[in-house]
Amino acid sequence: MYQTIFQPLEWGGLTLKNRIIFAPTTLGLSPEQEEQLLGRIAAGGCAMVIVGDVPVGRHGPHSLYHRKGMAYYRRLCAAIHAGGALACAQLHQSDTDLLWLLGQAPGVLLGRIKPEELRSRLNRQAGPYITGLPARKVTRITTSFGPAAKLAREAGFDAIQVHGDRMCGSFSSALLNHRQDLYGGSPEKRSRFAVEAVAAVRRALPDIPIDFKLAVRQENPHYGNAGVLLEELEVFVPRLEAAGVTSFHVTLANHGSLTDTIPPRNHPDFGGQGCFLPFCDRVRQYTKRPLCGVGGLSDPDFIEAQLASGRIDCAAMSRQLIADPDWSQKVRQGQVSEIHRCLRCNRACLGGLQQHQGVHCIYEKENQG
Ligand SMILES: Cc1cc2nc3c(=O)[nH]c(=O)nc-3n(C[C@H](O)[C@H](O)[C@H](O)COP(=O)(O)O)c2cc1C
Ligand code: SF4
């Protein structure tokens, strides 16, 4: 009945055992808890786990350049492989100016700047920051995706996803990128950051699958501030392919509200199943490479129909696989009625992360039992 979901897929030189992927998800848990959760999700039968927000830089506890960071990723990859899935590293560069952030620290510590206000200030500083970055520094950053990819490979990752949001998304967007040099001024120039980052990974690892998280934005109604405007896909997609991208993971761009990119069920436009799939339809006009849909996917019948029609080639889920890591196994074994359906309440997952308690789920007890 769910034939296509369980059909293997050739994906950038690797074979995915089925079409289900755990979408990149920052967990904010202890290393041991993250290892356990990602291992659990892998063991539930998905083909690949994408580890979210692996930094390309040398700073922070999770840098691939630090012994501790490397050991952490090795353990995550081992847990994912032991569960029977492939591991993909989502390489990202933040677009937060660290000096600016330090300046906000007193206000945050004294409670004068509330978390929502800090988030909105963070969104507002990205444009001026990336517009003012010296070109030589930008090239250093895009080049750094290459060595980071090599380190990720050494840690055990099977594939790389280049995060097309964050700094990459800010450079892509005419709303944030006001440069008038090699990196801005036209869609071609705004695509240069992403293209150079992908090309750096391709040079470092000629055979590795490179997935690109293609974050798109739209007008009428306006959603997303970073990322690629739908009308500019015809510029970005062929260039990314030529640079080495082997598949695309399509979603709404950020720097707006998190409840647009991780929409609750009462969202006015993105509350339904497969809420971002119309973006895949637009990307499909410019590529034959595998497309992964994400956003509000959870219903096996709906997912099977989208895969069988060829609208998408694989389906990524974040919240549904947190709500029930055994989703794939239950679908395969005909136990669909036993799936803990994600309610898209955002209470314990996104809510947990925002309250610095890490990602949890209202079904956690059932999943442990
Ligand atoms: C708690 C949480 C953390 C997330 N962290 C990331 C991340 O690190 N990188 C990323 O690209 N997307 C991240 N996302 C977005 C998801 O990958 C996904 O696009 C989004 O949740 C919509 O899919 P869903 O409806 O299956 O949850 C996160 C989502 C959630 C719920
Ligand atoms: S807390 Fe709610 S939205 Fe989050 S994974 Fe669980 S059911 Fe889904």
Side-chain angles (χ1 to χ4, degrees):
M1 176 158 180
Y2 298 108
Q3 231 174 330
T4 329
I5 292 179
F6 296 104
Q7 216 171 59
L9 174 71
E10 287 309 307
W11 190 82
L14 283 179
T15 304
L16 301 189
K17 67 180 179 184
N18 61 46
R19 309 299 182 94
I20 303 303
I21 291 177
F22 180 56
T25 305
T26 296
L27 298 173
L29 298 165
S30 70
E32 295 71 27
Q33 288 171 314
E34 295 199 353
E35 195 179 320
Q36 198 186 11
L37 179 56
L38 295 185
R40 177 81 177 77
I41 287 171
C46 64
M48 174 173 280
V49 170
I50 304 178
V51 174
D53 278 358
V54 179
V56 295
R58 293 171 183 267
H59 303 294
H62 288 172
S63 169
L64 286 156
Y65 286 89
H66 297 174
R67 209 158 34 95
K68 244 178 138 176
M70 196 62 168
Y72 161 73
Y73 289 118
R74 278 193 211 285
R75 281 199 304 273
L76 291 189
C77 288
I80 293 166
H81 289 152
L86 296 167
C88 176
Q90 180 188 54
L91 291 185
H92 99 289
Q93 170 66 39
S94 160
D95 54 8
T96 299
D97 180 352
L98 289 180
L99 283 179
W100 172 89
L101 192 59
L102 272 178
Q104 306 297 304
V108 174
L109 290 174
L110 293 171
R112 282 202 307 265
I113 305 176
K114 303 275 174 265
E116 315 80 61
E117 170 59 15
L118 181 65
R119 199 176 314 283
S120 130
R121 288 187 187 191
L122 271 168
N123 284 339
R124 287 199 304 269
Q125 61 80 48
Y129 176 50
I130 65 108
T131 299
L133 268 180
R136 252 184 314 167
K137 193 161 178 196
V138 180
T139 312
R140 263 210 311 277
I141 293 171
T142 57
T143 310
S144 71
F145 277 74
K150 261 193 167 163
L151 289 171
R153 186 85 193 91
E154 274 171 47
F157 285 104
D158 307 284
I160 300 294
Q161 181 184 77
V162 172
H163 198 334
D165 217 322
R166 307 298 174 100
M167 188 175 273
C168 211
S170 295
F171 266 88
S172 305
S173 167
L175 295 182
L176 301 175
N177 178 350
H178 300 296
R179 302 175 71 102
Q180 290 296 332
D181 65 353
L182 288 176
Y183 290 101
S186 67
E188 288 77 8
K189 289 179 177 176
R190 279 185 275 109
S191 72
R192 188 179 177 109
F193 184 102
V195 166
E196 283 186 3
V198 169
V201 176
R202 181 51 74 228
R203 275 196 306 278
L205 296 168
D207 300 322
I208 201 144
I210 305 178
D211 191 37
F212 188 82
K213 174 157 172 172
L214 184 49
V216 300
R217 61 188 186 90
Q218 69 166 49
E219 296 298 350
N220 301 320
H222 170 88
Y223 280 120
N225 292 320
V228 182
L229 192 63
L230 285 168
E231 289 72 18
E232 296 171 344
L233 286 168
E234 61 179 323
V235 173
F236 278 74
V237 172
R239 281 165 186 257
L240 288 165
E241 264 196 41
V245 166
T246 51
S247 57
F248 292 93
H249 180 111
V250 184
T251 184
L252 179 73
N254 225 317
H255 281 317
S257 152
L258 271 181
T259 49
D260 292 335
T261 50
I262 308 172
R265 69 173 175 279
N266 61 357
H267 190 285
D269 287 300
F270 302 131
Q273 281 286 317
C275 53
F276 302 138
L277 294 188
F279 300 147
C280 287
D281 302 337
R282 298 291 290 267
V283 177
R284 181 60 93 200
Q285 295 173 14
Y286 307 106
T287 185
K288 292 193 164 53
R289 307 255 153 109
L291 287 188
C292 184
V294 68
L297 292 169
S298 61
D299 179 60
D301 291 329
F302 179 83
I303 293 175
E304 173 66 21
Q306 309 312 306
L307 292 167
S309 71
R311 188 180 193 192
I312 49 174
D313 301 286
C314 30
M317 297 177 237
S318 169
R319 289 169 294 176
Q320 178 55 63
L321 294 193
I322 293 168
D324 195 338
D326 291 329
W327 186 97
S328 307
Q329 238 172 50
K330 288 179 180 171
V331 173
R332 186 189 273 280
Q333 290 166 2
Q335 299 167 336
V336 167
S337 60
E338 288 172 36
I339 291 173
H340 307 144
R341 293 290 177 111
C342 172
L343 303 179
R344 279 196 253 162
C345 60
N346 282 354
R347 263 169 50 200
C349 51
L350 182 59
L353 197 59
Q354 286 175 326
Q355 288 148 28
H356 306 288
Q357 288 163 3
V359 166
H360 295 276
C361 178
I362 53 168
Y363 292 116
E364 204 158 74
K365 283 211 177 81
E366 282 99 315
N367 289 336
Q368 281 163 357

